[in-house]
């Protein structure tokens, strides 16, 4: 018997993106975007069809460190001759607008910074058709078996090398981490009683919730890491709601097949990632 399903050929492309920014030294200071990087992939095969990265010079160069604590970090010298955000805004808008946005901790950090940057130059803000935040997805479904939910820790767990903290490298690493996590989840779902082990139904798999009294600067001081406590107030520039609701909307856009879980087409290795 020939069994097949029909996917939406008009499903929006997925853009994985990442920002590198300054880190505020005191409460009240803002983040300044220093680098933007993105890859655009097809929703059904994850084929990379476009990539873009650029350094960005902030209005005040003094907010950028003269030296970086990281070997590949961004220094003042690196951005002094880079274009300002206004010079690259049209290109960034064309990559982001009308696509599904994906990335690690983007709801809490990168989406907010993008909105701020476009508001600074009085330009329309790009709007996603859906958001997939791998921090929330992996926290809920993969759990803390790899340790904390930092991208560097997840990459190390799967032997993917060291995180470079450069935008384009990090988004490609993000996609590879998702593929590896999805493969594990797919295999576990095939033999749940054998392979799930202590992680099956583990109470350590937690989702994030809102809390009161948290300082926004403190929350975002380690922007690509989960908070010390899973209770924090997220800053989301677009429609509020749980990640589950967002991904349910994305599901309808990515595939028309009935009975398929969300992200079936994003992560073909797993049919259980977002049940």
């Amino acid at each position: 018997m020939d069994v097949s399903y029909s996917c939406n050929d008009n499903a929006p492309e997925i853009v994985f993106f990442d920002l590198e920014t300054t880190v505020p030294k005191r409460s009240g200071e803002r983040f300044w975007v220093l680098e933007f990087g993105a890859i655009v992939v097809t929703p059904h095969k994850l084929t990379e069809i476009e990539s873009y990265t650029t350094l960005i010079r902030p209005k005040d160069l003094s907010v950028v460190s003269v030296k970086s604590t990281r070997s590949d970090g961004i220094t003042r010298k690196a951005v002094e001759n880079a274009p300002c955000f206004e010079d690259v805004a049209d290109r960034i808008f064309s990559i982001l607008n009308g696509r599904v946005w994906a990335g690690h901790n983007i709801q809490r950090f990168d989406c907010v910074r993008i909105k701020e940057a476009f508001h600074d130059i009085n330009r329309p803000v790009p709007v996603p058709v859906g958001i997939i935040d791998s921090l929330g997805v992996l926290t809920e479904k993969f759990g803390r078996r790899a340790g904390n939910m930092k991208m560097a820790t997840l990459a190390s767990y799967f032997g993917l090398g060291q995180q470079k903290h450069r935008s384009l490298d990090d988004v490609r690493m993000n996609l590879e981490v998702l593929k590896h996590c999805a493969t594990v989840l797919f295999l576990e779902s095939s033999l749940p009683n054998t392979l799930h082990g202590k992680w099956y139904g583990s109470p350590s798999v937690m989702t994030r919730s809102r809390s009161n009294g948290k300082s926004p600067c403190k929350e975002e001081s380690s922007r690509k890491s989960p908070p010390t406590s899973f209770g924090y107030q997220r800053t989301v520039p677009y429609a509020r709601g749980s990640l589950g609701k967002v991904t349910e909307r994305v599901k309808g856009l990515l595939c028309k097949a009935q009975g398929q879980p969300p992200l079936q087409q994003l992560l073909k290795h797993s049919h259980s990632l977002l049940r």
Side-chain angles (χ1 to χ4, degrees), residues 28-87:
E29 289 185 350
R30 63 170 288 177
F31 294 86
W32 292 96
V33 177
L34 300 179
E35 187 176 44
F36 173 89
I39 59 172
V40 180
V41 299
T42 58
H44 305 313
K45 296 184 178 181
L46 303 183
T47 303
E48 184 176 322
I49 57 177
E50 183 180 359
S51 67
Y52 175 70
T53 186
T54 181
L55 289 168
I56 296 170
R57 184 183 74 252
K59 293 179 180 179
D60 181 3
L61 275 175
S62 68
V63 300
V64 187
S65 300
V66 175
K67 295 183 179 180
S68 175
T69 56
R70 302 186 182 117
S71 59
D72 294 321
I74 299 172
T75 63
R76 188 178 302 174
K77 183 175 178 60
V79 299
E80 64 182 3
N81 295 317
C84 63
F85 187 82
E86 188 170 11
D87 294 333

